[in-house]
Amino acid sequence: TRPAPCALTCTGVSKHDELNHGWTQHESRASRVYKMINLRECGFVTAPVITATTSGPGWKGSCPPVSINVLGNVGFGVYIEGTTVGDVNNSRCDVYWSANGFNC
């Protein structure tokens, strides 16, 4: 274990319509969309533990759940199955996330 001052929590919201980081249709799976989230500014030295959910005013009252793919200490991707970019953008599904890890 590391000393307590090295523990870090980094949180954020990735908006559905972020320039260059919006929802993207998966190339080989037409019913999957994904979104990449950059963690470089958090300063993690190892891969953090990620929690993420979607929220927005549309999607029949709620946005769909996401799956998470951690990309080491620099970022992660979130995926939604069974939808299109148009659906998640029309529902304004933003990603609310938190990352817990270490910076030393």
Side-chain angles (χ1 to χ4, degrees):
T1 63
R2 295 177 175 93
C6 289
L8 172 68
T9 298
C10 191
T11 63
V13 178
S14 182
K15 303 297 277 180
H16 68 281
D17 57 355
E18 263 181 9
L19 185 62
N20 300 321
H21 297 286
W23 290 104
T24 304
Q25 204 72 44
H26 194 275
E27 289 180 17
S28 61
R29 296 178 92 174
S31 65
R32 175 188 270 189
V33 298
Y34 69 94
K35 187 178 208 346
M36 305 307 292
I37 298 171
N38 187 332
L39 296 176
R40 283 188 174 88
E41 291 182 21
C42 296
F44 293 113
V45 295
T46 58
V49 174
I50 305 290
T51 303
T53 189
T54 55
S55 184
W59 201 277
K60 299 178 185 173
S62 66
C63 289
V66 295
S67 298
I68 301 169
N69 182 23
V70 178
L71 304 171
N73 64 324
V74 297
F76 65 99
V78 291
Y79 299 85
I80 299 175
E81 298 286 347
T83 191
T84 65
V85 170
D87 286 343
V88 291
N89 281 336
N90 288 339
S91 297
R92 299 186 298 207
C93 295
D94 301 329
V95 178
Y96 291 75
W97 58 269
S98 66
N100 298 285
F102 299 96
N103 62 358
C104 61

